[in-house]
Amino acid sequence: MDFRITWTRSIPLVFGCMGMSFGYGPAADKTEMIALIRKAVELGVNFFDTAEVYGPFANEELVGEALAIFKGKAVIVTKFGFAPDASEKWSQLNCRPEHIKEAVEGSLKRLKVESIDLLYQHRVDPNVPIEEVAGTVNELSQAGKVKHFGLSKAGIKTIQRAHAMQSVAALQSEYSMWWREPEDEIIPTLEERGISFVSFNPLGKGFLTGKIYGVTSFASGDFRNSVPRFAAEARKANQALVDQLELIAKAHHQASPAQIALAWLLAQNPRIVPIPGTTKLHRLEEKKSTALTLSTDDLITIEQALANIKLMGERYPEASQKMIDR
């Protein structure tokens, strides 16, 4: 079965929910986040992304509770692949078939659904052949528990092998003005196979909003504290990118840098779907407001600006880099 993520050029109907519970410091107020998710549905959002490891479990529980009143009106996406280590820290990979099945049962309960619309392998497990993973998802699909199979941060060889075993509907990976590596090989590979590209961190982990500066401090527990590209010196150097975005936004559209960054991403390929997230209503309204259609001249101006900017710092700390499939 083919899979289409519903979106329009005026409103990218996608919402990444991770930051509500995980990754950016203390979890936000649950009641407020439930209200925000429900407001997103009212604004036309119909695709919500979460994962077992976000919390762990807390984000799935939040999404499940928030969307329970919208049965059939929202696509709910989640991921498997992580497991706790001896210290109960969820930093180990585990994609053994029995663990996948156990994870899916838990996700179904927390999300309050009978079938997961799109199930991603969160990270490629080097200890488990991708054919076993795809075969297990196929079994779950045959049982009616999973509708579509996706991969996250997978390399070309993994994508090819998985797709040969079980149709891959989407790859979720990072792509933005901030990180363009997928343009070299990943995007052409997906295009050949009709696989959608769900771009997480389309706003550069928040940097492309123009609200993060060299003097910005992050809360305890915010993963950006360990990201080299967010070191104070790197942020100061990388401000040149945001400065260019602000110039383009004000000169051509009276828009925000975030809106320009999303419009640029949407212009790159019709199968690319950005998945921004937020914990604030005004940010949701900004991202879901009428999207810009950048002209050819706009895109040329942006490309010239990007070509003259050298970004400083790796996008992940060393330990996280090692978990990315190549």
Side-chain angles (χ1 to χ4, degrees):
M1 181 184 297
D2 196 12
F3 178 75
R4 292 288 184 272
I5 297 168
T6 304
W7 63 285
T8 68
R9 295 199 66 79
S10 61
I11 306 177
L13 308 180
V14 187
F15 197 114
C17 299
M18 181 191 80
M20 294 177 165
S21 311
F22 176 84
Y24 290 97
D29 181 82
K30 185 175 181 180
T31 300
E32 292 179 4
M33 294 304 98
I34 287 173
L36 184 61
I37 289 173
R38 290 176 177 173
K39 179 64 175 179
V41 176
E42 292 177 14
L43 291 174
V45 178
N46 70 342
F47 184 108
F48 294 84
D49 180 281
T50 182
E52 176 190 43
V53 74
Y54 300 159
F57 308 137
N59 199 244
E60 284 189 328
E61 291 170 349
L62 168 67
V63 171
E65 184 173 346
L67 295 177
I69 63 173
F70 299 107
K71 292 290 185 182
K73 295 182 180 179
V75 172
I76 300 179
V77 178
T78 193
K79 313 173 193 73
F80 67 85
F82 281 97
D85 59 20
S87 65
E88 296 301 312
K89 183 180 180 180
W90 280 63
S91 59
Q92 290 194 152
L93 295 177
N94 186 345
C95 291
R96 295 191 303 272
E98 62 273 18
H99 183 76
I100 295 173
K101 293 176 182 178
E102 180 182 345
V104 166
E105 291 299 331
S107 292
L108 289 169
K109 291 178 182 177
R110 288 185 291 274
L111 295 171
K112 303 181 187 297
V113 296
E114 296 179 358
S115 183
I116 295 168
D117 293 307
L118 175 59
L119 179 70
Y120 289 113
Q121 181 187 29
H122 208 154
R123 294 287 185 277
V124 176
D125 187 340
N127 298 314
V128 182
I130 191 62
E131 289 80 4
E132 287 190 26
V133 174
T136 302
V137 175
N138 182 270
E139 288 180 32
L140 292 165
S141 179
Q142 294 298 319
K145 296 181 179 182
V146 174
K147 294 178 182 176
H148 301 283
F149 176 39
L151 299 171
S152 180
K153 293 188 179 179
I156 291 173
K157 292 181 180 178
T158 299
I159 295 168
Q160 293 170 337
R161 289 167 55 196
H163 195 63
M165 182 74 184
Q166 165 73 10
S167 179
V168 175
L171 172 76
Q172 184 176 114
S173 200
E174 185 168 3
Y175 179 44
S176 68
M177 295 178 179
W178 177 260
W179 181 254
R180 299 182 65 177
E181 183 183 273
E183 294 174 351
D184 297 334
E185 296 181 302
I186 292 292
I187 291 175
T189 297
L190 301 181
E191 187 73 18
E192 290 172 4
R193 291 160 178 78
I195 300 172
S196 295
F197 189 132
V198 179
S199 168
F200 70 79
N201 287 332
L203 298 177
K205 302 178 177 68
F207 193 77
L208 301 183
T209 64
K211 302 300 181 182
I212 296 175
Y213 309 98
V215 296
T216 300
S217 60
F218 300 111
S220 175
D222 190 316
F223 77 100
R224 290 173 293 188
N225 284 312
S226 65
V227 175
R229 192 165 281 190
F230 278 88
E233 183 179 359
R235 277 181 275 155
K236 184 177 180 180
N238 296 336
Q239 182 63 34
L241 173 56
V242 176
D243 291 344
Q244 286 295 323
L245 280 179
E246 289 179 335
L247 286 173
I248 294 167
K250 291 177 182 178
H252 297 284
H253 300 287
Q254 291 300 307
S256 69
Q259 288 171 321
I260 294 293
L262 290 175
W264 176 87
L265 198 53
L266 289 171
Q268 300 310 299
N269 187 294
R271 296 192 70 87
I272 292 175
V273 183
I275 183 167
T278 187
T279 58
K280 299 177 176 63
L281 177 59
H282 72 278
R283 290 294 180 203
L284 172 65
E285 292 173 336
E286 174 191 13
K287 291 167 185 173
K288 305 309 172 189
S289 65
T290 301
L292 305 171
T293 299
L294 296 174
S295 68
T296 300
D297 287 344
D298 289 333
L299 293 170
I300 291 172
T301 299
I302 292 170
E303 197 62 39
Q304 290 173 341
L306 293 176
N308 292 322
I309 296 171
K310 183 175 177 59
L311 294 172
M312 178 184 292
E314 296 294 331
R315 66 174 179 139
Y316 286 122
E318 185 176 357
S320 296
Q321 280 287 111
K322 291 179 178 179
M323 297 182 77
I324 298 175
D325 183 52
R326 295 289 182 183

